[in-house]
Amino acid sequence: MSVRRVVPNVRSEDVAASRGFYGLLGFEEAMDLGWIVTLASPVAPGAQVSFMAADLTAPVVADMSVEVDDVDAVYAAVRGSGAEIVHPLQDEEWGVRRFFVRDPHGRVVNVLSHLRQAQG
């Protein structure tokens, strides 16, 4: 298992204000699904931050997202550890397979793989 990317998720009641402020720091829009906006550095695209008021299919806004190469293997390891699964493993319509887990400090982590990567 390997980590591909880590993105902080910021709960924001005013995503437009968040986009504007972080634009001043040099971030540009990389994704906008309406309920989540991800901004990235144009020179280092892996440097990202996401903003959302609520998650489309999960009960909470995760504190961070961790993209891995094999979400099913990570899910099995996490379940085996006894950690609290906050949102079950499932495929999402926007092209990711993900689950949420609570870390030992109470933070919620969205663990995901892109479906095209997971399939091939």
Side-chain angles (χ1 to χ4, degrees), residues 59-76:
V60 298
V61 171
D63 296 297
M64 75 172 73
S65 295
V66 177
E67 182 183 355
V68 297
D69 64 345
D70 187 346
V71 71
D72 291 286
V74 175
Y75 183 71

Side-chain angles (χ1 to χ4, degrees), residues 36-106:
I36 181 173
V37 171
T38 300
L39 306 178
S41 164
V43 296
Q48 300 179 351
V49 61
S50 292
F51 301 93
M52 67 187 95
D55 192 290
L56 185 64
T57 65
V60 298
V61 171
D63 296 297
M64 75 172 73
S65 295
V66 177
E67 182 183 355
V68 297
D69 64 345
D70 187 346
V71 71
D72 291 286
V74 175
Y75 183 71
V78 167
R79 283 195 54 194
S81 77
E84 178 190 355
I85 302 297
V86 177
H87 178 66
L89 181 65
Q90 66 186 44
D91 294 347
E92 302 288 5
E93 66 183 41
W94 55 91
V96 300
R97 182 167 174 77
R98 71 178 184 158
F99 71 96
F100 288 12
V101 61
R102 192 172 310 278
D103 80 5
H105 312 289

Side-chain angles (χ1 to χ4, degrees), residues 3-22:
V3 174
R4 295 179 182 265
R5 173 176 62 117
V6 176
V7 179
N9 298 321
V10 178
R11 184 173 182 86
S12 173
E13 298 304 323
D14 189 345
V15 172
S18 298
R19 181 188 294 119
F21 176 80
Y22 284 86

